[in-house]
Structure formats: C-alpha cells, structure tokens
Amino acid sequence: MTLSWSGASSGINNTISSYEIQYSDSTDNLTWGAWTALTTVNTTATSGSVSVDPPSTRGNYRRFQVRTRGTAGASYYSGWKVSTNSVRRNTAPSPAASAVASPAEYSNETITLTWSGASGGTSPVKGYQIASRTSLDNSTWSAWNVLTILILSASGGSYNPVVSSTPGTYTQFGIWTIDTFDVYSVEKISNSIYCDVTACGAPTVCSVSAALAEGNVTLSWSGAANGAGNAITSYEIQYSDSPDNSSWGDWTALTTVSTSATNGSLSVSPPATRGNYRRFRIRTRGAAGVSFYSDWTVSSNTVRRNTLPTPPTSFTAAPAIYEGVVVTLAWSGAAPGTSAIKQYVIQRSTSTDGTNWSAYEALTIVVSSSTSGTYSANASQIAGTYTRYRISVTDTLDAVSAYVISGTVKKNSPPSAPVIVCPSSSGSSYNTTPRFMITTGVEPDGQSQIVEVKIDTGTWINSVDNPERFSTNGYLGNGVKTVYQAETLAAGSHSITIRCLDSDIESASPEVVRTFTILTTPFETITANETHVKAAHIQTLRTAVNMVRSYYGLSPATWSEEITVGKTTVKNWPFHITELRKAIEPVITAVNSFDSSSSFDIPPLTWLSIGAGRPKADVIQQIHNLILTL
C-alpha cells in the first residue's frame, strides 16, 4: 500500500534533505512491538509517499512513523510523526467444508459437483477455482487440471464438469476459495467418481432369408442393445464358407453397417462355389471403442449356393431326314441340382450345307419338372435345309444348365429327274418288249434310289419289287444306268413314265414321260429258195434300221447308193447288206455297253455269210429277226 505524509517544513539554516521511516507491528492493533527502521526517502519536498508492505504475518497490524531530516544534522531532525491509521495483513479465505461429486459411478450421465461452508478471511469471498485430476487405481493421481474459475460470492455452489469417458478412470475435483484480494484457500478435494462403461449387447436374432439361393439373400438381425455410456454406432459382419455345412473355413470380413438402430438387414451373397454353404456372424459396435464391442452372434441358419441342373444325357431329333412338317424331339437323363426342374428351353439353328450354321433362335419353353420329355417341333419345309436343336434345363431359382445339342435333321430333297436315254421322243420300235435305257439322277440327301416305271396307265413297276424287269435292280445310287424291259406290248402308240424314289421316305423325283410307238413288222417273210429279195426288201430294211437307230437316239444312217425299183442291179446287194449291218451294229453296241449288267443285252451275233450271187434269204431273215428284237 502507499504511506503518504505532508506538512513538513525546513528549519532555520536547516533545509529538508530526507525523511526517515520506521514501522511497528501488533497482533491486536493495541499492543505494539518495537520500532524497526524501514527506509529513508531523500527529497527536499514538504510531502511525499512511499510503497510499504503490511506485516508478513496474516492478521497482524502495522503502523508507521516518519521524521524530517535536514542539512543541519541529526541534532536538528524533527520529532516522529506516527501514522494516523494502521494496515492489517489480509487473512486467507477458508475452503469449502464439504465437496461432493455425483454420481459416484457414471457412464454417460451429467456429473454434478456441489460444495458448501466456504468463507472469506479478512476479505469477502469473490469466487472459486475448480480443477480435476484422474487415476486408474484411485491412489496415484495426475496433476491438477484447472477446469474453470467461477465468480461467486456465496459460501457454496454447484458445477457440471466435463469428465473422462475412458472406462475404468477415477476422477477427483479440487475447489479453492478465492477472496477479493485473489487470495486462494487451500483446496477442498471431493470424493472419487468412477467411469463405468459397459459393452453393447449382441443381436439376439440373426438369420438369412433363404437356405438355398442363386443370387443375393437378406441377412437380418435384431435384439441388439446399447451399453452403458456406449451407444450403438455400427455392426460388424463376417462370413465363413463350408463344402458340407459342417466343416467351416476361417471367418472373413464382409462389411460394416453404420447405424444406431437395434436391428437391421443387409443384402448378402451365397458362396461363389456352387453347392457350398455360407454362414454369417455379427457383433454390435459402440462409441466406447473396440474393448466394449459385443460378442459375436452367429446366424441361426446358412445359405447354400444353388447347384445347376444337369442337362439331358440324351437329346435326339427324328427322323434324320423328314418329309412331313413335324420333327420329334426327345430327351432323357436330365437331373435337378439343389432345386427342382422348372422348365426346358429349346432353341434351333439351321444350315444350308450342314457346316455353316445360323445363330440359335428361341423355339419353345417346355414347362415340366420331369427328367425326360418329348416335343413336336414344326420343321423347315425348305428342301435340303439342315436343322439342329439344343436344350437346357432351368430350375425353380431360374438357374440355367449348359446346353446339349441334338443330332441334325434334314428336310428331304427328292431325287432329280432320271435321264431317259431311250426311247427318243416319239421314238418307234418293232420290238414288242422294248428296252428303256434309264440313268438315275442325283439324290441330294445321300439316300439310294428306287426306279419306277409305268407304261401307259398301268401300275408302277419298280427296281426293288420287280428286279427281273431291270438290268441293274434294287436300290440304286446316283447316276446309275439300268435297262427296263417291258412286258409284251400291243402295236400302237404308248407312253412311258419314269421317276425315282428316295429309299427312306420314297419322295418322288419329277416324272419323265416319253411317248413311243410299237410298230407292226414291215417285213415280208423270206423263204429260202422261194422268195426273191428285191429292191423293196432292201428299202424296207433301210427304213426299219433308221427307225431303230432313232429309237435309241442315233442319227439316221446315210446310204451310199439309192435303190430304185427296177433299176438298181442285184449285183450290189452285198454292199447294201454290209451297210445295213454296219448301221445296226452301233445300236447293239449302245444297248450292250449301256450298263454293267448283261441281263437285257443283245446276244453275241455272228453274221451269216453273204456269199455271191443273188441275196440269200437267210441273210435277210437274220436282219429281220434282229431288228424285231432291238
């Protein structure tokens, strides 16, 4: 504080040079101790002041005395002036008599610190300092950490401090009373309070929505609970797989679901390996950290990855070559996986050459749970088109098996029209059992062929059922030559219709029709030694030979000499006979070399000797007879 004085004065020839100051202490402001020198203040002024201390002992009093000192020396100092008042040393305030923190055990509750019984010393209470300290054993404490200073003149109060949320931590509070001189009392230490946080509660129910699945299922849980001072923040989920629902692999982290709810759900997948099982486990996570997570709850059931159905072991399409509009598909040997068969999906692909195939297109869906079945499919009606089919099995979870491909079927292509070598169009023959030379066409499906022949409106005669009528008979290949010899026909006009049937389906080629004529014999009977061979006979033979040549598709013979009745001499008849024979021989060659069979060949021929002189009857008759068999 400040000690002030005034009213001093200099003496005669004794100017003021300083002031001497002393103090004296007392316990009761009545009985004083001896004076003690304090200081000298050098100044010539008649007044002054100086900063002085109160007593060192709290509650004691101190007074001061001052005298004026001059230049004339100590003999001429003034008398002492005692201070008109004294100063007392402030006494410290008293701490609170009671300090209580509650609750004694807390998790997330609000802490309340209350105190009472505090008082000021020689000055009133101005406020309080509040601090905290912590311990893990309620014995060894940390240093004080000041929380706040409250301006409060009352002898007690309350405060809600922020405390540690670390489980297992003890906390105490210290309260210091502060007076108006900012003097602090000793601390008042409160009771200890304990942070008691509990683990979250694990879900009581955890299950998956389906025991067998092709895709995702729902994992659901409920019954979880917050811990004391440990609110739910999320759920941790893991899974484990098994090939047999008995021996389980390690747990693998799946995901963490952030939520504060006590229940929840999540879309989860079955195992990647078909037929394997998957289970899940879940635990509740809270704000207090990993030490206070709940225990694991394992799902009460498992989900198995659906195994695919097995496609049919047999899948056929029949007939391999078809003529109608329907192909029959048949399958067997399919097997369900872990779920029942629901349906079959059938697709088809087509080809024009049996090698290059179109993309498969949907044909039908057959709804059936059977492991076998049939289906009548409308088949392509384009001749020569190949078709193949494939089938897959779909189970009740809509999982689809691999495809199985059927054999190939083909729309039947009838044989091409046969080629009639003879008779030529509108040809004529003197043979009442004429020959018909036939070459089969091409059967595109690779089947063998049946040759069928019909004379006029008669019945069909074929190479299988009537082999004796065909030189090459039975089932014939492409481009095979055969000779058909008719039964005896009456003289006159006729028609022959020829076609080929394929061997399996007996679809017919286009029909080839030829008209022909069976001529009556033009020959006069030649009797040896009676009949004279005349020019007319040679002329008739020439006409007949060219008629036969025409029947077999040969061009007419050209004769070296014109024969005129009554003019042509007989001497040249050997040359005429030779020409006739040479004109006939190509016909014989054409017939006998046409096919590999000799069934309807013209028998080997030895020409009779022409001799010399007039024409011989037997030579002429030999030609007559031959022409009638050609």
Side-chain angles (χ1 to χ4, degrees), residues 44-192:
T44 61
T46 59
S47 62
S49 64
V50 69
S51 178
V52 294
D53 293 330
S56 58
T57 302
R58 290 190 178 280
N60 282 8
Y61 299 83
R62 178 169 287 181
R63 65 179 180 175
F64 299 88
Q65 65 179 5
V66 61
R67 67 177 176 179
T68 310
R69 297 168 62 166
T71 55
S75 300
Y76 298 94
Y77 290 173
S78 73
W80 290 97
K81 176 65 177 179
V82 178
S83 58
T84 57
N85 61 345
S86 61
V87 60
R88 190 181 186 190
R89 182 64 179 260
N90 179 47
T91 59
S94 298
S98 172
V100 177
S102 63
E105 292 185 358
Y106 68 90
S107 54
N108 57 356
E109 297 89 345
T110 299
I111 305 301
T112 301
L113 175 64
T114 59
W115 64 94
S116 62
S119 62
T122 49
S123 61
V125 173
K126 182 177 83 169
Y128 299 91
Q129 175 181 277
I130 300 174
S132 66
R133 64 183 182 181
T134 58
S135 173
L136 296 178
D137 59 4
N138 207 24
S139 175
T140 303
W141 296 92
S142 68
W144 289 109
N145 175 45
V146 176
L147 301 178
T148 189
I149 294 178
L150 300 177
I151 304 302
L152 178 67
S153 60
S155 62
S158 66
Y159 176 67
N160 301 119
V162 176
V163 294
S164 171
S165 60
T166 302
T169 300
Y170 295 88
T171 303
Q172 286 182 338
F173 300 94
I175 303 174
W176 288 260
T177 307
I178 307 171
D179 65 13
T180 54
F181 286 103
D182 290 329
V183 175
Y184 287 63
S185 72
V186 296
E187 78 273 8
K188 174 63 179 178
I189 300 176
S190 73
N191 58 298
S192 299

Side-chain angles (χ1 to χ4, degrees), residues 449-468:
Q449 301 179 56
I450 303 170
V451 179
E452 281 196 327
V453 175
K454 180 173 68 173
I455 302 295
D456 299 329
T457 59
T459 58
W460 287 100
I461 304 299
N462 69 71
S463 59
V464 173
D465 297 327
N466 310 100
E468 72 282 359

Side-chain angles (χ1 to χ4, degrees), residues 455-500:
I455 302 295
D456 299 329
T457 59
T459 58
W460 287 100
I461 304 299
N462 69 71
S463 59
V464 173
D465 297 327
N466 310 100
E468 72 282 359
R469 308 296 292 277
F470 294 84
S471 63
T472 302
N473 49 49
Y475 295 99
L476 308 182
N478 296 335
V480 172
K481 297 178 179 181
T482 186
V483 176
Y484 172 75
Q485 187 159 35
E487 293 181 327
T488 302
L489 298 177
S493 295
H494 297 277
S495 67
I496 183 170
T497 304
I498 301 174
R499 67 184 182 185
C500 289

Side-chain angles (χ1 to χ4, degrees), residues 45 52-53 63 77 84 226 240 253 263 281 339 355 364 389 403 408 552 599:
V52 294
D53 293 330
R63 65 179 180 175
Y77 290 173
T84 57
N226 295 303
S240 175
N263 56 57
R281 70 176 184 178
S339 58
T355 300
T364 190
Y389 302 85
Y403 280 97
T408 299
Y552 285 101
S599 296

Side-chain angles (χ1 to χ4, degrees), residues 194-542:
Y194 180 68
C195 183
D196 185 19
V197 177
T198 61
C200 292
T204 57
V205 176
C206 178
S207 63
V208 289
S209 59
L212 181 66
E214 179 66 21
N216 283 10
V217 296
T218 300
L219 175 69
S220 302
W221 63 91
S222 61
N226 295 303
N230 187 19
I232 295 172
T233 59
S234 60
Y235 294 90
E236 183 178 355
I237 300 170
Q238 297 180 344
Y239 69 87
S240 175
D241 291 347
S242 170
D244 57 6
N245 209 24
S246 176
S247 300
W248 294 93
D250 295 334
W251 289 104
T252 301
L254 178 60
T255 190
T256 298
V257 179
S258 297
T259 177
S260 60
T262 59
N263 56 57
S265 63
L266 178 70
S267 179
V268 295
S269 61
T273 303
R274 292 192 177 277
N276 278 14
Y277 299 80
R278 177 166 289 180
R279 64 180 179 176
F280 299 86
R281 70 176 184 178
I282 185 170
R283 66 176 176 179
T284 314
R285 297 168 56 155
V290 65
S291 298
F292 294 90
Y293 290 174
S294 76
D295 292 332
W296 292 98
T297 296
V298 179
S299 58
S300 58
N301 59 342
T302 61
V303 59
R304 188 182 188 191
R305 182 64 179 265
N306 180 45
T307 57
L308 293 177
T310 302
T313 55
S314 172
F315 180 43
T316 60
I321 299 176
Y322 62 89
E323 182 68 20
V325 297
V326 173
V327 169
T328 299
L329 306 180
W331 62 90
S332 61
T338 45
S339 58
I341 292 173
K342 172 184 172 183
Q343 63 190 26
Y344 294 86
V345 174
I346 301 176
Q347 299 176 340
R348 68 182 167 195
S349 174
T350 58
S351 172
T352 57
D353 58 8
T355 300
N356 299 298
W357 294 89
S358 68
Y360 280 98
E361 61 180 2
L363 176 61
T364 190
I365 294 175
V366 178
V367 179
S368 171
S369 60
S370 175
T371 59
S372 61
T374 60
Y375 178 74
S376 296
N378 289 332
S380 172
Q381 293 303 296
I382 301 174
T385 296
Y386 296 84
T387 304
R388 63 182 180 184
Y389 302 85
R390 69 178 186 178
I391 188 170
S392 67
V393 186
T394 305
D395 65 16
T396 53
L397 295 181
D398 291 329
V400 181
S401 74
Y403 280 97
V404 172
I405 300 176
S406 72
T408 299
V409 295
K410 182 182 181 185
K411 171 61 178 175
N412 183 59
S413 298
S416 60
V419 176
I420 299 179
V421 177
C422 81
S424 60
S425 181
S426 300
S428 297
S429 175
Y430 300 99
N431 187 356
T432 56
T433 58
R435 296 178 185 83
F436 301 92
M437 297 162 64
I438 304 163
T439 301
T440 61
V442 175
E443 205 300 312
D445 303 320
Q447 302 176 64
S448 56
Q449 301 179 56
I450 303 170
V451 179
E452 281 196 327
V453 175
K454 180 173 68 173
I455 302 295
D456 299 329
T457 59
T459 58
W460 287 100
I461 304 299
N462 69 71
S463 59
V464 173
D465 297 327
N466 310 100
E468 72 282 359
R469 308 296 292 277
F470 294 84
S471 63
T472 302
N473 49 49
Y475 295 99
L476 308 182
N478 296 335
V480 172
K481 297 178 179 181
T482 186
V483 176
Y484 172 75
Q485 187 159 35
E487 293 181 327
T488 302
L489 298 177
S493 295
H494 297 277
S495 67
I496 183 170
T497 304
I498 301 174
R499 67 184 182 185
C500 289
L501 310 179
D502 51 31
S503 57
D504 292 347
I505 298 175
E506 297 191 358
S507 58
S509 72
E511 295 179 352
V512 181
V513 179
R514 290 284 173 86
T515 59
F516 63 96
T517 302
I518 301 299
L519 302 172
T520 57
T521 178
F523 304 126
E524 175 186 349
T525 301
I526 303 297
T527 303
N529 301 318
E530 293 183 9
T531 306
H532 295 283
V533 177
K534 298 177 289 187
H537 292 141
I538 300 300
Q539 289 176 329
T540 298
L541 280 173
R542 283 183 171 181

